[in-house]
Each structure stands twice: as structure tokens, then as C-alpha cells.
Amino acid sequence: MAMARADDAETTSDSAWKTWKMVRSFTYQEHLECLAPPLGDCQTVPSNWPQGLGLKVSKQPRVPWLPPGWGQASISGWNRTIYISPEEMGSKAIYCRSSVEHALGKRLKPVDQHGVVLGDEFIKLWPKWLAKDWRIVYKKSAKGLVKPFFLGPDDTVYKDKKSVLARTKKMVKWRRAGLGTRKSRAKDGELSNDVECFRTFTRKQLE
């Protein structure tokens, strides 16, 4: 198992990841929707849920590994999420991830709300250092490894936080050098979209 992880690290250390297939892309808003409570704003307990347990519809974000069709419930005075299986599986109340995996007969990985697998490195919270006009994208290697990357407003994919911040600092230098206007950037053959990207960053995000 350790050797497999070493191979994965080696695969993403060079430019090979640039050829990986994109499986999902999220704007800031889409990322919020991906983890929205399974029943959305609805607070009416479905009629097929188990009776007599005092179940309430959970207002908590969907846990990333919960498959489509499953519900999340809560009980007053109990600080724990309960998972409700789909009606075709009996609408059973299940109390932990391992039991959900046992019921499905497989190990669960983070997925979007449609069931697209996003890999073990799924980013649950939008990074503070990532501007909201960027995207988080998930790419898949030929071996099936899924990892997150970052898509800038100029449609360039960046590998990690370090490369994103390096790009951001470079844009700051352009601005200070007087190259931050659309006119001068266009004259130099650069992408004018970079200017819009710059405006979304604060000093705190660069730290």
C-alpha cells in the first residue's frame, strides 16, 4: 500500500498531471451547492423515514462521502448525524460511516451530489487563499487517481497552493510595475483576464 502512494506522489510531481482527464469543476457557488444538505431547505421529515425515533431533517452540510439518495437526520439533544438509506434500501437509520459502507458493500470516497467520485483529497472548505473567481477542478490519472487542482480566470490549471500563490504574487509585481491595466497588458501580449484576477486578492490571502 505504501508503494502505491509513492507511485501516486511521483505521478503528480512532474508534468504528467496536465494530461489527466478532468472529471469535475466547481465555481465557489457550485462548491457550496455540492455540500448542501441532501434535502436542501426542506424541513419536513419524509414519510418513508423511520417512525418513533424523533428524527428531524438535518440542516448540516452533506458529508462528502454520502452517496446520492441518502438522507441526513438529527435527534434533539444528540450531537450526532444519522444517515437514512434510500427507500429502495428500506429507509433504515444508520449511525456511522462504517455501517453505511457495510450496507453498500464498499468503501466510500468523497463524491459530488450526483455521485461523481472526487477522491480522498477532496477539499471540503473553499481555501481562504483561493479567490472566488477561480475554480477547483478534479482530474483523474490513467491509474484512477483523482486529485484537486486550481483553474485560474485565464483558464490555466495550477497544481497546488504554492503555484497559485506564486501566480498571485507575480500579478502583484505586474501591478506595481505599472503593467496592471488592460491596455498595457494587451500590448505586451498578456491575457487581460489577469487584471480581473488580481482585483480579487487581498494582502491577507497572500499570507
Side-chain angles (χ1 to χ4, degrees):
M1 185 63 70
M3 290 182 62
R5 283 194 290 266
D7 289 343
D8 291 342
E10 183 177 357
T11 300
T12 57
S13 65
D14 51 31
S15 61
W17 61 269
K18 295 181 180 180
T19 64
W20 291 12
K21 179 181 178 181
M22 187 179 297
V23 296
R24 192 67 165 87
S25 171
F26 292 99
T27 61
Y28 176 77
Q29 184 60 39
E30 289 169 342
H31 190 266
L32 292 177
E33 294 170 358
C34 173
L35 296 176
L39 294 182
D41 296 329
C42 178
Q43 291 301 302
T44 302
V45 176
S47 59
N48 62 295
W49 280 19
Q51 303 298 311
L53 298 178
L55 296 177
K56 296 182 179 181
V57 176
S58 175
K59 299 179 182 179
Q60 296 299 314
R62 177 182 67 85
V63 293
W65 51 264
L66 194 68
W70 284 69
Q72 287 183 182
S74 63
I75 297 177
S76 296
W78 197 19
N79 187 25
R80 188 171 186 175
T81 299
I82 302 165
Y83 310 105
I84 311 299
S85 65
E87 191 168 4
E88 59 269 22
M89 293 181 63
S91 301
K92 298 178 181 179
I94 300 179
Y95 298 88
C96 63
R97 175 175 179 170
S98 61
S99 295
V100 174
E101 292 179 330
H102 179 74
L104 293 171
K106 63 179 180 180
R107 176 176 174 265
L108 295 173
K109 292 188 175 185
V111 295
D112 70 3
Q113 68 270 46
H114 307 297
V116 176
V117 177
L118 302 175
D120 292 326
E121 295 184 36
F122 173 73
I123 299 173
K124 187 174 181 179
L125 298 176
W126 193 270
K128 293 181 179 180
W129 46 265
L130 188 67
K132 293 179 181 178
D133 60 346
W134 283 55
R135 287 175 176 261
I136 297 176
V137 299
Y138 290 84
K139 303 185 74 175
K140 185 185 208 178
S141 72
K143 294 182 179 180
L145 176 67
V146 179
K147 291 178 67 69
F149 297 89
F150 307 97
L151 182 67
D154 60 352
D155 289 331
T156 298
V157 177
Y158 297 87
K159 181 180 175 182
D160 49 27
K161 176 181 178 180
K162 181 179 179 180
S163 59
V164 170
L165 293 183
R167 173 63 170 173
T168 302
K169 290 181 178 180
K170 188 173 184 180
M171 285 158 33
V172 171
K173 290 181 179 179
W174 285 338
R175 181 72 171 184
R176 290 175 176 173
L179 300 178
T181 64
R182 291 179 180 273
K183 182 177 179 180
S184 61
R185 299 282 282 118
K187 182 178 180 181
D188 291 341
E190 301 285 355
L191 293 172
S192 61
N193 282 344
D194 289 334
V195 177
E196 297 300 324
C197 175
F198 167 77
R199 293 172 182 167
T200 65
F201 287 94
T202 64
R203 177 179 295 276
K204 185 175 181 180
Q205 288 174 309
L206 297 178
E207 294 176 349

